[in-house]
Each structure stands twice: as structure tokens, then as C-alpha cells.
Amino acid sequence: MENLDWKNLGFGYRDTDYNVRCYYRNGKWGELELSSSNQISMHMGATCLHYGQEAFEGLKAYRGKDGKIRVFRIKDNALRMQSSARGILMAELPVEKFEEAVFLAIRMNSHFVPPYESGASLYIRPLLIGTGPQIGVKPADEYLFIVFVMPVGPYFKAGFKPTDYVIYRQYDRAAPLGTGNIKVGGNYAASLVAGTRAHHEGYSAVLYLDAREKKYLDECGPANFFGIKGNAYITPKSDSILPSITNKSLQQLALDMGMTVEQRRIPVEELAEFSEAGACGTAAVLSPVRSVYDADVDKRYFYGDEPGPVSLKLYQKLINIQYGCEPDPHAWVSVVL
Ligand SMILES: Cc1ncc(COP(=O)(O)O)c(C=O)c1O
């Protein structure tokens, strides 16, 4: 195992030994290739540079108490990348190829998978880009798929500690019928100004409202949102948010615990009715919301300095399944090594 300060990793880029690449040329995908370089060379007219033909994924591998390395719901990430590819007319990568590439990247860098006790994990970044040149606005005829990995700690510095969110109505990350429901780079470029402002003002992330009416909750920067009301887990239904695999899993766990699940439009004022709120995603896992400040109307919704009991239970259950400490009744986990 590498000699790293596993407990204080943070969420940042770090080189590891190998990445896996696959090229799409002449209408078909080639074989997987291993590379030890962190550089790529491409045509200056590549469509990913000009017209945003770029999609990515994020998933994690976890080393369990038993020493085994597991990945969580990998097929869902493969399918979501296909959906992103269809959304911006890129070549779709077969699910098996995606899975094979991710497994190979983990195996070749297995000494970077953090030890169980550290609570850290190996973040996996699959990337799909248009590499063929076009100068008219057209899809490329060549693509590159890359998987690289790195050990990471918590996405939000506080870890499993409630943090503050903010609503600003003057920014959208995606249009109502745009690309918010797929994982393409443009959405993240569009979120940088608001996200950076939120950080400067002391918030973890922006809680976006729906772009059309600014009436309903959408999502929290790089994570989905949920609220707890009575025995219900309530999460936004919207065409402009990313279908989060973590959120889907938490909904199932909430049902398993005897809660009800409501996926529907959530008016912003309903924030006042939740006993707990959270942000959820692969990187954020479940990150409790301490407060939401609606900056435009100067109103603050407060949930608590400590995680609420439902969030705590859902979080524990989820990470226990991911680390292989509890049975996996929905077959979400694959053992890699
Ligand atoms: C905009 C956005 N929403 C939600 C999520 C959470 O999705 P998942 O749980 O699949 O990681 C992510 C991260 O992937 C994201 O980038």
C-alpha cells in the first residue's frame, strides 16, 4: 500500500500509476489500453475543446474491513454515461466495456485504495470526449474514453457535519429543457460563478431553484437534495437535475426502513417544513444541511448543528453497504479484488 496520510486526504486531484484508455475510430470502439501518462495529445479542432462534447462520471471503490475492494452500482454509472453520450451526440460506450475499464483501473492502482479504517475511498473518474476535429457545429467522428482514479477523503471539508447552503435566483446551472439531466461539462462550467461566490460567502454550495419559474427546489451544486418531513423522504422531481445514484439508493433505503418516499416538485417555502435536510451524491455521500439562506428574500431555514437521526441512519446504512459491513440486499456492490 502507498504511504499516504490516508486520514487527511481531502478531495483533490492526485496522480496514480495507471489510467485506462479506449479509442472510438472508424465507427467502432477499440481495445482497452493501459497508460502511465497523465497527458493526452489531441487535435486542436477536437469537438470537446470547441463545442463541449464532453461527459464524465464519478464513482468510488471502497476497501472493506475484510480487505476486499468493492464498487457501488457501477452499471448505473455506465448507463448514465450512455445517456449523457446520447444527449450530446457522442459515441455510446457499451456497459461491459465501461465496467471492464473501471475494474482494470482499480486493479492496476489497488495500492491506492485507502485502508478501511481511514474512511477514505478511491474516486474513479470516467471521461468521454470528442477528439475528432470539426469547425462547423457537428459531432466528432472520433472519441476517447479514459478512466483515471485517485484516493480521496470527504468532498466537503466538514465530512459528515452539517453545512450551510445558499439560494441565489440570478444564476442557473442548466435550462429547463437543456442538459441538466446528463453529466456534461457545460453544466459545471455554468455553475462556477455561483459556486465560487457561495464558497467566498461561507456556504458549501448553491441550492438551485428551477430555472423556469424559480419556485421549486432543483439540486445542490454537485449533489441532489432531500428533506425529511415526518416519516417521509422528499426529493425534487425535475427535468433539469442529474438523476443521482446516491439519491436513488437513499430512497430505497428509506423505503426499506419503513419510510415513505415522495419524488415531486418542492416549493421553496416548504424548506420551512423539513425537520432535516441533506445533500447526496457519490462525492458528498450524505452531507447534512445545517441551514439554507435564501439570499434574495433574506430568509434563513435552519435544521441543526448536528446531523438529524434519519440522516444519520441513512448515512450509516449506505456506507455499511458500500464498505461491505452489512448485507447488500439490492445487489448494489461488485467485488473487484
Ligand atoms: C449535478 C450533480 N447532481 C447530483 C450528483 C450526484 O449523483 P451521484 O449520486 O450519482 O453521484 C452529482 C454527482 O455525480 C452531480 O454532479
Side-chain angles (χ1 to χ4, degrees):
M1 188 147 340
E2 284 295 300
N3 190 15
L4 293 175
D5 182 8
W6 300 109
K7 283 207 161 75
N8 295 301
L9 281 175
F11 194 88
Y13 179 83
R14 183 185 293 269
D15 274 329
T16 51
D17 290 345
Y18 296 100
N19 55 84
V20 177
R21 303 175 181 207
C22 189
Y23 295 88
Y24 180 89
R25 293 187 184 119
N26 303 317
K28 53 179 193 297
W29 287 100
E31 297 301 317
L32 299 184
E33 298 173 20
L34 263 185
S35 169
S36 56
S37 167
N38 59 12
Q39 304 286 309
I40 54 177
S41 158
M42 71 174 131
H43 197 292
M44 62 187 174
T47 60
C48 66
L49 300 175
H50 298 258
Y51 303 129
Q53 273 201 307
E54 187 272 356
F56 64 100
E57 272 301 325
L59 66 161
K60 282 177 173 172
Y62 310 83
R63 192 184 296 277
K65 225 181 208 165
D66 57 5
K68 289 187 182 151
I69 300 172
R70 296 171 172 82
V71 283
F72 188 68
R73 305 194 76 166
I74 180 172
K75 188 174 177 195
D76 294 70
N77 291 95
L79 291 170
R80 192 168 64 188
M81 181 166 258
Q82 289 188 336
S83 152
S84 299
R86 285 192 298 275
I88 55 171
L89 290 187
M90 297 198 290
E92 276 181 56
L93 187 78
V95 169
E96 306 71 50
K97 202 131 206 151
F98 180 99
E99 292 181 339
E100 226 183 288
V102 169
F103 288 155
L104 182 61
I106 298 169
R107 289 198 185 104
M108 295 305 295
N109 294 290
S110 61
H111 53 293
F112 285 102
V113 184
Y116 171 73
E117 303 73 34
S118 65
S121 53
L122 188 78
Y123 184 72
I124 302 156
R125 171 52 60 87
L127 174 73
L128 176 61
I129 53 177
T131 49
Q134 293 288 6
I135 204 64
V137 181
K138 282 189 235 129
D141 47 19
E142 295 194 347
Y143 293 86
L144 169 59
F145 172 68
I146 308 185
V147 179
F148 58 95
V149 302
M150 71 209 69
V152 295
Y155 186 76
F156 293 125
K157 279 193 207 95
F160 190 68
K161 269 272 172 204
T163 59
D164 301 313
Y165 290 75
V166 64
I167 295 172
Y168 306 123
R169 282 173 189 67
Q170 62 269 55
Y171 310 100
D172 293 321
R173 64 176 283 283
L177 299 174
T179 54
N181 59 351
I182 55 176
K183 205 162 166 65
V184 298
N187 298 338
Y188 298 83
S191 75
L192 288 174
V193 170
T196 303
R197 175 174 163 197
H199 290 153
H200 284 151
E201 295 179 359
Y203 301 99
S204 293
V206 177
L207 175 54
Y208 286 95
L209 301 186
D210 78 283
R212 196 191 305 268
E213 295 185 84
K214 301 284 175 185
K215 272 193 185 163
Y216 303 101
L217 303 182
D218 245 1
E219 62 180 331
C220 297
N224 275 183
F225 175 88
F226 69 86
I228 304 295
K229 191 189 324 185
N231 195 38
Y233 176 104
I234 305 173
T235 192
K237 185 177 176 67
S238 162
D239 292 337
S240 54
I241 65 178
L242 193 75
S244 154
I245 296 162
T246 314
N247 191 1
K248 195 163 77 167
S249 309
L250 292 174
Q251 290 175 42
Q252 182 61 54
L253 295 177
L255 289 172
D256 294 351
M257 288 172 186
M259 297 179 68
T260 55
V261 169
E262 298 172 27
Q263 193 170 20
R264 58 166 168 83
R265 296 212 288 188
I266 305 177
V268 58
E269 298 76 24
E270 198 174 339
L271 283 170
E273 298 171 27
F274 297 137
S275 56
E276 299 176 32
C280 58
T282 296
V285 194
L286 187 165
S287 191
V289 173
R290 192 167 84 107
S291 71
V292 177
Y293 178 58
D294 188 337
D296 304 300
V297 297
D298 190 24
K299 181 164 181 180
R300 193 158 182 264
Y301 302 91
F302 184 76
Y303 300 103
D305 292 319
E306 294 301 325
V310 178
S311 302
L312 187 62
K313 217 165 128 187
L314 286 168
Y315 172 77
Q316 272 305 340
K317 189 87 191 169
L318 179 68
I319 65 168
N320 283 348
I321 295 174
Q322 290 171 332
Y323 282 90
C325 303
E326 275 198 40
D328 172 27
H330 304 288
W332 286 338
V333 157
S334 326
V335 173
V336 183
L337 204 64

